[in-house]
Amino acid sequence: MRCYIRSFLKRNFRKGGANLRVCHESRQGFATCLKISFEKHIGFLFLSLALLAGCSRRAPTALDLPIYFTCDTHGRLEPCGCFTGQYGGLTRLKTVLDAETTPSALRLDIGNSAAGAEDYDFVEYHYMLQAFAAMHYDAINIGASEAQFTVAQLRELKKNSTTPILCANLVDKSTGAQIFDAYRIIERSGQRIALIGVVDPRAAPTPGAGLSIGGMESALEKTLGDIRGKADLIVLLAFTDEATLTELAQRFYECQVILGGNVSQPAQQLQKENRSLIYFVTNEARALGILHLRLTQGAPLQVAGNEIRLLNDKIPQDKSLSDLMQKYRAEIRATRLAIDDPNYLAADTIPGVRAAATYAGTEKCLTCHKEAAAAWVASAHSQAFLALTARKADADPKCIGCHTVGFGNASGYRREFAGAKLINVGCESCHGPGSLHIREREGDTSVHFTFRPLDGGDCVKCHYGEFSRPFDWKEQWQLIKHGKDSQRTAALSASAP
């Protein structure tokens, strides 16, 4: 086509030149002849230029858009390190993202990156946001755990975060103003991509002080109206369950991609509902959702691939994020926390009612229960606190509970003890406070105390998820098996009337 147009132009302009020469030789007015020639060929000129411009315009270019997304990372900046073979951690996630993502890739978090709403969770979340920034995340959505922070805390997070935090339906209860932006629009190779964030009010029925969570549907209606005509692709980050993700797709077809969380397990396959693609992930930083899209202007959205990738223990951990974890632990060690105050720990008790028993310490148990003591000393339970000190985690409230006796209880281990007492997984870690049992055995006839029965359910308070290998109570019990000491039982029987 281009050769034909060039030939057309050459042929017609050559003809125009010949006409000019004839006019000149016949002594006609040169200006008049030029005008006639121009009028004759001007139409050909514009037509030819239009055709040439149309033929030289390139076909719309396709944008390969990988989307990497996480959800429910739950404060897992790095694996806890209680044993080898642990999966996950943002330390491994960064290694993966650094190795294979391209400049066009999107990196997103759907919510629940905070572990909870305690003051130490808030301190840790600051470091989680730094980790997301180091991984070049494009946006972070609010989940149920973040929605439990106070309005003042969330405003502080917004001020200090270099990564945009989104949520269209989380508002200041007193003013109705949004805490975070409802959406942001980013550009990749000329394509405009809108990211919208929402959190299901049912996932956080008791939001933090000063906060209110509105309906997702009304927030989406307003937000979609605001961005109409401004985006080539709309990606919805929705912290909600699987059934609600489908309902949102049925109602809001404008959202071509819906990424979710607050689910029991990562998606088994990519779903198509109405005009939307639905994909979701969870698993406390042990799984990464990957969706490869291809965008071509004026053409339907294409899927080039999708994957839920497990972050296994073969993936090296990024040192910069491991160093970030150590900074968190150094700060938390130096910070006075609410859990350090016995009065705070006793705040939920019934007024005027004292605890029936208090923690006495493992040493009080070992003097009488010789056989149980031998089993305990030979087990890893007796050295549990050393695992924390080795990783400088002995002041981290998230770790202490499963490595000490009674942490979080007014009479249990406190951080100010600094490992001096009530450490390791002792007898009372499983059986409960033993002061009344000791008084009864020492002759206090006013006390009649019986420990509650125990079974495998008591073990999974600590031995679950990333904190334990797949736990089989019948198998693991054999390593610490103990019960009533035969000698103690015989002595009690002999002294009975």
Side-chain angles (χ1 to χ4, degrees):
M1 173 65 78
R2 187 174 300 177
C3 294
Y4 171 79
I5 293 170
R6 287 194 181 118
S7 175
F8 174 82
L9 287 170
K10 187 175 181 180
R11 184 172 61 254
N12 280 279
F13 279 106
R14 183 181 297 128
K15 186 183 298 182
N19 290 338
L20 287 174
R21 283 193 299 274
V22 170
C23 290
H24 180 71
E25 292 170 355
S26 63
R27 304 181 184 277
Q28 292 184 21
F30 183 74
T32 303
C33 188
L34 178 63
K35 179 176 181 296
I36 295 171
S37 179
F38 180 79
E39 289 175 349
K40 183 177 180 180
H41 295 286
I42 190 65
F44 292 116
L45 174 64
F46 281 109
L47 175 62
S48 301
L49 291 175
L51 290 171
L52 184 60
C55 290
S56 63
R57 186 182 299 123
R58 294 180 180 178
T61 57
L63 169 64
D64 289 324
L65 182 69
I67 300 179
Y68 295 81
F69 69 102
T70 49
C71 185
D72 195 31
T73 53
H74 205 66
R76 300 290 184 262
L77 191 51
E78 69 174 7
C80 77
C82 288
F83 62 90
T84 59
Q86 289 181 322
Y87 280 32
L90 298 191
T91 47
R92 291 198 174 103
L93 175 62
K94 187 174 188 301
T95 300
V96 171
L97 295 180
D98 286 351
E100 64 179 66
T101 54
T102 64
S104 66
L106 289 178
R107 304 162 187 85
L108 308 167
D109 187 78
I110 314 303
N112 259 28
S113 50
E118 296 291 342
D119 49 6
Y120 49 85
D121 294 317
F122 182 67
V123 173
E124 182 186 56
Y125 191 58
H126 280 279
Y127 288 89
M128 295 290 289
L129 291 177
Q130 292 181 49
F132 285 128
M135 292 185 289
H136 308 292
Y137 265 55
D138 294 284
I140 299 169
N141 187 41
I142 290 294
S145 56
E146 294 85 20
Q148 294 178 62
F149 290 135
T150 67
V151 64
Q153 288 176 319
L154 290 181
R155 292 195 186 282
E156 178 185 336
L157 291 169
K158 179 181 179 180
K159 179 181 178 181
N160 294 327
S161 177
T162 58
T163 302
I165 304 175
L166 304 178
C167 194
N169 62 324
L170 183 67
V171 300
D172 186 317
K173 191 174 183 179
S174 61
T175 66
Q178 288 179 349
I179 307 299
F180 302 104
D181 292 336
Y183 69 94
R184 72 172 303 213
I185 295 178
I186 62 175
E187 188 171 308
R188 293 287 192 273
S189 301
Q191 300 273 26
R192 300 164 301 169
I193 303 164
L195 308 173
I196 306 174
V198 292
V199 57
D200 194 332
R202 296 167 299 180
T206 55
L211 293 172
S212 178
I213 304 178
M216 293 186 293
E217 293 82 0
S218 56
L220 280 172
E221 285 177 356
K222 180 182 183 306
T223 304
L224 289 170
D226 292 341
I227 65 175
R228 185 171 291 116
K230 298 179 182 179
D232 303 301
L233 175 70
I234 298 177
V235 179
L236 174 61
L237 317 181
F239 188 83
T240 188
D241 57 64
E242 298 174 42
T244 308
L245 292 172
T246 301
E247 292 172 5
L248 292 175
Q250 292 168 347
R251 181 168 179 179
F252 300 102
Y253 64 87
E254 303 96 327
C255 301
Q256 294 107 310
V257 179
I258 300 179
L259 304 177
N262 198 31
V263 294
S264 58
Q265 62 181 357
Q268 299 300 305
Q269 60 185 5
L270 181 65
Q271 299 177 20
K272 180 72 180 293
E273 182 68 37
N274 200 354
R275 301 181 187 177
S276 303
L277 298 172
I278 301 175
Y279 215 30
F280 47 85
V281 72
T282 182
N283 211 12
E284 298 185 351
R286 291 190 288 269
L288 170 65
I290 306 174
L291 182 59
H292 288 278
L293 302 177
R294 176 165 292 175
L295 280 71
T296 305
Q297 203 162 24
L301 181 66
Q302 293 179 297
V303 178
N306 60 280
E307 173 188 0
I308 299 295
R309 184 178 302 176
L310 294 180
L311 303 178
N312 61 52
D313 60 323
K314 306 301 181 186
I315 300 172
Q317 297 191 55
D318 180 81
K319 186 180 184 303
S320 66
L321 293 197
S322 293
D323 292 343
L324 197 63
M325 185 64 173
Q326 291 307 313
K327 290 181 180 178
Y328 156 72
R329 285 176 171 162
E331 179 176 344
I332 213 69
R333 184 184 299 277
T335 302
R336 178 71 177 176
L337 302 173
I339 204 168
D340 297 326
D341 183 1
N343 295 321
Y344 170 81
L345 297 174
D348 291 335
T349 58
I350 301 173
V353 178
R354 298 175 59 187
T358 56
Y359 290 98
T362 303
E363 296 77 11
K364 292 283 188 180
C365 308
L366 301 185
T367 56
C368 295
H369 300 277
K370 301 294 186 183
E371 292 180 14
W376 179 77
V377 169
S379 74
H381 285 165
S382 65
Q383 304 294 318
F385 197 74
L386 288 176
L388 296 187
T389 57
R391 296 178 63 84
K392 299 181 180 179
D394 50 296
D396 189 341
K398 297 200 308 173
C399 302
I400 296 173
C402 287
H403 294 255
T404 61
V405 175
F407 181 69
N409 185 286
S411 67
Y413 181 82
R414 297 207 298 272
R415 296 197 309 155
E416 65 188 61
F417 294 169
K421 58 181 178 179
L422 294 178
I423 62 171
N424 299 316
V425 181
C427 305
E428 294 166 296
S429 297
C430 301
H431 293 279
S435 62
L436 290 181
H437 171 72
I438 294 170
R439 282 175 51 189
E440 182 179 14
R441 293 306 182 191
E442 289 178 344
D444 187 340
T445 57
S446 67
V447 177
H448 301 282
F449 181 81
T450 302
F451 286 107
R452 65 177 178 82
L454 299 178
D455 62 18
D458 293 279
C459 303
V460 297
K461 291 184 297 183
C462 290
H463 292 283
Y464 72 94
E466 74 164 332
F467 307 109
S468 180
R469 295 181 175 87
F471 185 75
D472 185 317
W473 183 79
K474 292 181 178 180
E475 178 182 339
Q476 300 298 322
W477 171 246
Q478 301 305 315
L479 302 176
I480 61 166
K481 188 174 182 179
H482 58 279
K484 292 184 177 180
D485 295 338
S486 56
Q487 293 179 348
R488 177 70 175 163
T489 302
L492 290 174
S493 300
S495 62

